[in-house]
Amino acid sequence: MRRVTVTYESSDVYPAWIHGEDGLVWRVSAVITYWEHPDLGRYRWIPGHRGEAKRWQLAIVGPLPGAPDLVGEQTVLLRTFGEGMSWYMSPQ
């Protein structure tokens, strides 16, 4: 799992770009699924809560895991937890 930042499409509907802390960048090519906690408004502000708040399953194009010099498409999970201050990406 890697910590990342997310740039949304201008409409703020879905992620468009994912940026790794190491300078790697991925373009979102498709949104497969989206989930959020059913009581997200209240749930996100419970102090110390670390449960999953939002989850995107995405197809992305960019550096491949373990071979950052190779570019390809892969499926990943993009998740935020608790207060939603950071996003985390993991291959699926």
Side-chain angles (χ1 to χ4, degrees):
M1 188 177 317
R2 81 174 34 232
R3 187 175 166 169
V4 296
T5 58
V6 176
T7 304
Y8 285 85
E9 195 60 41
S10 60
S11 61
D12 287 340
V13 175
Y14 60 89
W17 295 93
I18 300 170
H19 306 267
E21 292 180 326
D22 53 4
L24 298 177
V25 178
W26 297 266
R27 178 182 55 83
V28 175
S29 58
V31 174
I32 300 168
T33 60
Y34 172 75
W35 174 88
E36 69 179 39
H37 191 279
D39 194 13
L40 186 63
R42 217 174 46 163
Y43 169 81
R44 286 181 88 163
W45 303 113
I46 298 171
H49 201 297
R50 300 285 182 235
E52 193 171 10
K54 291 184 178 185
R55 177 187 331 125
W56 293 88
Q57 182 182 19
L58 305 168
I60 61 172
V61 175
L64 294 173
D69 295 337
L70 298 176
V71 173
E73 187 170 51
Q74 59 186 309
T75 302
V76 297
L77 289 178
L78 183 66
R79 299 181 287 183
T80 188
F81 299 89
E83 295 177 0
M85 302 305 277
S86 298
W87 287 96
Y88 297 90
M89 179 176 78
S90 56
Q92 191 174 22

